[in-house]
Amino acid sequence: ILTIECNYYNDLVDCGGIGWTEVRVKDAAIFNDPVTRACENGLVTYELTGNVSGVWNWVIDHPGGQITTEPAGVLTLSPLAAGTYEISVNAADFCVEETVRLLVTPAPAVPMNLNGPIEACDGMVLQYTAGLMISGTSFLWEATPASGASTAVVQGSTTAPAASVAFNGTGPWKVRVARQNLDWPQCTSAFIELNVTMPVNDPDISGPDQACPNTILNYTAAYTGGETY
């Protein structure tokens, strides 16, 4: 409790007086390392540090209006809409002077296409492209699986309009690409992907199914795409 006192004196009438009032100083609480930038459809959490007690509520002003929540140790907002959020606290028994301003950035456009081979053999390095760049964005290439008996690895840049992917094993594999904002928090679009498999082509051998000793017979393979037989 803080007491505020005021004294006055009037020389002309040679008298004075005194007054006072008591002020209850509330405890203070603050946001614990609040998030101020996030991506559309993402998730953020907020919590308070300090002597939090009594009756209080979270107050969220967001692109769709205002929400007042029941008190909770952690406030979770998800999925986030693009726009600006303001998060504050309405409390009777403690003070939170800060209002957190959260800017939610929209995701960039999904890449227009993903072009490249859908078949690969062990040891091959193949090229894939994702269409035109958009100012302020780059691409994000991924290939899976990254470990195990079969692997697919993006070689070189993972942010250019084209990517080289090294395939090992027998597959199957996936190559996928998204678009990503260059500015923080580098929001990412949805991925588009290609399924890549190892080709299986039975030679389909034709020729006699019986032979005599010391004879030479001719056989042919219907599949002609091989380099060696």
Side-chain angles (χ1 to χ4, degrees):
I1 301 296
L2 177 67
T3 300
I4 299 175
E5 183 178 287
C6 179
N7 295 282
Y8 78 93
Y9 182 77
N10 189 318
D11 289 332
L12 183 63
V13 297
D14 190 26
C15 68
I18 182 172
W20 65 85
T21 187
E22 292 184 340
V23 178
R24 182 171 69 91
V25 180
K26 298 179 182 179
D27 291 321
I30 61 173
F31 283 87
N32 183 18
D33 193 20
V35 178
T36 58
R37 295 289 299 273
C39 294
E40 183 180 16
N41 296 320
L43 177 150
V44 295
T45 60
Y46 295 94
E47 59 183 331
L48 299 176
T49 298
N51 190 2
V52 177
S53 61
V55 179
W56 63 281
N57 300 92
W58 297 100
V59 180
I60 305 101
D61 288 291
H62 63 100
Q66 186 181 86
I67 301 173
T68 300
T69 73
E70 295 299 320
V74 177
L75 171 66
T76 300
L77 300 177
S78 174
L80 295 170
T84 301
Y85 289 68
E86 289 188 347
I87 300 95
S88 58
V89 174
N90 181 19
D93 297 320
F94 63 94
C95 299
V96 180
E97 297 181 3
E98 181 182 14
T99 295
V100 172
R101 189 170 184 267
L102 170 67
L103 178 61
V104 179
T105 303
V110 176
M112 290 180 289
N113 51 58
L114 171 51
N115 296 319
I118 59 172
E119 292 184 336
C121 292
D122 181 30
M124 280 186 169
V125 178
L126 301 177
Q127 304 295 314
Y128 294 85
T129 59
L132 298 176
M133 296 281 287
I134 295 178
S135 178
T137 69
S138 65
F139 290 104
L140 178 61
W141 289 94
E142 294 181 355
T144 58
S147 62
S150 296
T151 62
V153 178
V154 179
Q155 295 186 333
S157 174
T158 60
T159 60
S164 299
V165 181
F167 297 93
N168 291 285
T170 59
W173 308 273
K174 284 184 185 292
V175 176
R176 64 183 201 153
V177 65
R179 206 182 296 274
Q180 186 176 59
N181 289 335
L182 295 177
D183 292 337
W184 183 256
Q186 294 184 302
C187 300
T188 302
S189 73
F191 280 87
I192 56 175
E193 63 182 36
L194 278 180
N195 292 313
V196 181
T197 58
M198 176 177 282
V200 178
N201 296 295
D202 294 329
D204 192 16
I205 300 171
S206 62
D209 61 358
Q210 297 184 39
C212 292
N214 300 316
T215 58
I216 296 175
L217 301 176
N218 294 320
Y219 293 85
T220 60
Y223 179 71
T224 61
E227 294 181 358
T228 60
Y229 290 87

